[in-house]
Amino acid sequence: MSFIALVDCNNFYASCERVFRPDLKNRPIVVLSNNDGCVIARSNEAKALGIGMGVPFFKVKKLVEKNQVKIFSSNYSLYGDMSRRVMQCLAEFAPKIEFYSIDEAFIDFSGLPQNRLMAHVKKLQKKVYQWTGIPVSIGVAPTKALSKVANYFCKQEKRGTYPLFKTEEIQQRLQELPVDELWGVGRRYAQMLSTYGIQNAAQFCELPKHWVRKKMSIMGERLQKELKGQSCFKLEDIPDSKKSISVSRSFPEALTQKNRLEEVVASFAARAGEKLRQEKLKAQMLTVYVMTNRFLTYYYSNSHSIAFEQATDYTPHLALKALQALQHIFRPGESYKKAGLFLGDLCTAYQYHLFQKSAAQKEQKVMQAMDRINQQWGRGTLQLAAQGTRPSWVLRKEYSSSRYTTCWNELAVV
């Protein structure tokens, strides 16, 4: 019998903030999106106050102030590093693991005897909390989809760990699970199923498989099989290479000056270059796009793509082409509210001709030195002149916390 566990960090962003602020234990916490726009994470205490997921912050600001909710701007440097620590901890206890998202991982425990399984799972849960301070819920079941179901009820009932193996119990839980909580069933499919009277996961399982495949493609059919105990989704312990890389930003205040937008695009190119080198990839195509406020009567949006003569991860090349692309789409007099950069046609290897290889090797050494310095002393220690020195377009982060684990200047003080 296969044993698949889903490890899910509880209220991950809020939990990351609480690790370094023990004074916030039992106090409601919300984390805001870029530019402090919407609520993207809530502690259980904040959920109990009725603060919804994705709600614009201005709509709940009075409720937040009245109940002394602690507010944080998103701190992705902290969250990314804490995620890495959690996943490293899981890898110590798991023979085969799929890092599914920043706060979720599937683990294959099929090699363990069933009489030792849950003791091992509970030990894993305690170790993650001991080593990282992040609480996790672990649902265990015969398939990935059922482990998602187990994890859902694990969180609902605050169990910590929850095995879901008995046929009668699986059927009962599927009857209790709303169909829109099923893994892979989004709003559109949930609405469609509702029109046919399908309200819970058990009713979904009873549908004819040819009907499910017709209405929801082969992925819907596989989901149905998984809920019936037949494994269809294998663990992807070797992650696929990225197909594309993008960097984008909405601005707190609209940008009208061309030189400011050039700083933005050059900074996007630098960040995209870092991501390329981290993934050991090179790009063969670049796209830059800009847009004004889409909620106004007049709206302008445009993009321009450039193909490279040879694949590259060299930041100066990326920035140069990005600025050239911007020239094609910039309109004087417009008020730009958002911009973005997209790298496509990514590859892991590229065959240089004789005269290209030497130059490419020099570029690689320059980037290695730049990345090493920025990793040691903080991002932006070394950067292109085109990125500017005092950007006026940076995100609004009125409630920002420290980068406790990735910046020497922001270490916690005891």
Side-chain angles (χ1 to χ4, degrees):
M1 186 177 184
S2 62
F3 305 123
I4 305 298
L6 174 64
V7 182
D8 191 358
C9 301
N10 299 339
N11 311 317
F12 181 56
Y13 291 174
S15 294
C16 288
E17 300 290 357
R18 192 172 268 164
V19 167
F20 299 93
R21 292 286 306 274
D23 58 305
L24 297 179
K25 184 178 180 181
N26 299 323
R27 182 174 168 184
I29 297 172
V30 296
V31 179
L32 306 179
S33 63
N34 290 339
N35 290 319
D36 296 341
C38 299
V39 175
I40 58 171
R42 307 154 295 159
S43 66
N44 288 332
E45 297 82 2
K47 293 176 184 177
L49 293 173
I51 299 174
M53 183 67 167
V55 64
F57 178 54
F58 74 88
K59 290 188 175 181
V60 295
K61 192 170 184 178
K62 289 184 178 180
L63 178 63
V64 164
E65 292 172 348
K66 178 181 178 182
N67 291 277
Q68 296 184 316
V69 177
K70 181 62 179 175
I71 311 161
F72 288 101
S73 301
S74 51
N75 185 346
Y76 297 116
S77 295
L78 174 64
Y79 309 150
D81 188 65
M82 292 302 293
S83 172
R84 179 184 61 80
R85 293 168 185 243
V86 170
M87 298 308 169
Q88 284 181 338
C89 181
L90 296 180
E92 292 277 338
F93 290 82
K96 191 174 182 181
I97 183 170
E98 176 188 336
F99 304 121
Y100 183 64
S101 69
I102 192 172
D103 62 346
E104 290 180 284
F106 288 104
I107 299 175
D108 188 348
F109 284 130
S110 298
L112 278 176
Q114 188 167 1
N115 60 351
R116 292 173 46 200
L117 174 64
M118 292 314 297
H120 186 77
V121 170
K122 290 177 181 178
K123 182 180 179 181
L124 171 60
Q125 184 206 24
K126 290 179 180 178
K127 280 294 182 182
V128 172
Y129 187 74
Q130 179 184 356
W131 290 3
T132 69
I134 302 295
V136 298
S137 298
I138 307 178
V140 191
T143 68
K144 289 175 78 172
L146 284 174
S147 72
K148 275 277 192 180
V149 176
N151 194 277
Y152 173 84
F153 288 105
C154 184
K155 284 192 168 187
Q156 290 288 309
E157 300 172 4
K158 299 179 181 179
R159 292 191 177 203
T161 63
Y162 180 32
L164 187 60
F165 293 112
K166 297 178 181 178
T167 303
E168 300 80 8
E169 188 175 8
I170 290 174
Q171 289 301 314
Q172 178 63 35
R173 289 305 193 182
L174 292 179
Q175 290 175 8
E176 298 171 2
L177 183 71
V179 72
D180 59 355
E181 292 290 347
L182 271 176
W183 186 31
V185 175
R187 182 182 301 175
R188 184 171 62 88
Y189 279 143
Q191 290 175 346
M192 181 272 293
L193 290 168
S194 180
T195 61
Y196 289 94
I198 308 302
Q199 302 296 330
N200 59 55
Q203 292 173 327
F204 172 76
C205 288
E206 294 170 0
L207 292 169
K209 66 178 182 179
H210 65 272
W211 187 93
V212 173
R213 182 161 187 164
K214 179 181 178 181
K215 297 288 186 180
M216 301 176 63
S217 78
I218 192 172
M219 298 304 291
E221 182 182 351
R222 288 175 179 173
L223 172 61
Q224 188 185 51
K225 289 180 178 179
E226 284 253 335
L227 295 174
K228 293 179 178 181
Q230 181 180 342
S231 179
C232 297
F233 300 132
K234 305 301 180 184
L235 255 68
E236 299 174 5
D237 53 336
I238 301 177
D240 294 335
S241 295
K242 288 181 178 290
K243 301 295 189 294
S244 63
I245 286 175
S246 64
V247 183
S248 63
R249 194 75 76 241
S250 295
F251 312 127
E253 303 294 337
L255 301 183
T256 57
Q257 295 177 310
K258 186 178 180 181
N259 65 323
R260 294 302 185 197
L261 210 53
E262 287 175 336
E263 290 178 358
V264 171
V265 170
S267 297
F268 287 175
R271 181 66 185 120
E274 290 178 8
K275 291 183 177 183
L276 275 178
R277 295 187 292 275
Q278 288 170 0
E279 299 287 339
K280 295 181 172 55
L281 297 171
K282 295 182 184 295
Q284 300 179 90
M285 185 272 290
L286 174 148
T287 299
V288 171
Y289 64 87
V290 295
M291 59 181 66
T292 59
N293 192 333
R294 59 191 178 91
F295 296 106
L296 298 180
T297 305
Y298 173 76
Y299 171 62
Y300 172 70
S301 174
N302 205 348
S303 65
H304 185 79
S305 299
I306 294 179
F308 298 123
E309 293 181 3
Q310 64 186 56
T312 185
D313 62 3
Y314 187 52
T315 293
H317 286 173
L318 297 172
L320 177 63
K321 295 300 183 183
L323 293 174
Q324 290 176 0
L326 180 62
Q327 302 301 318
H328 289 270
I329 56 178
F330 179 80
R331 275 189 188 175
E334 300 287 0
S335 297
Y336 296 97
K337 194 62 178 172
K338 185 176 182 179
L341 180 145
F342 172 89
L343 297 178
D345 293 341
L346 305 187
C347 58
T348 56
Y350 185 82
Q351 185 66 45
Y352 297 101
H353 64 59
L354 178 63
F355 301 106
Q356 290 177 326
K357 190 170 183 180
S358 177
Q361 288 173 339
K362 291 179 180 178
E363 292 170 357
Q364 183 180 19
K365 290 180 179 179
V366 172
M367 290 297 97
Q368 286 175 346
M370 185 175 183
D371 290 340
R372 187 166 56 249
I373 291 171
N374 285 336
Q375 287 169 5
Q376 182 173 354
W377 300 104
R379 182 178 297 156
T381 302
L382 284 183
Q383 63 180 31
L384 302 178
Q387 294 177 243
T389 56
R390 293 182 179 179
S392 59
W393 50 271
V394 294
L395 294 175
R396 182 186 295 118
K397 288 192 172 185
E398 187 177 344
Y399 311 98
S400 185
S401 58
S402 298
R403 295 167 291 176
Y404 300 102
T405 62
T406 59
C407 182
W408 287 108
N409 297 328
E410 299 179 18
L411 291 176
V413 178
V414 180

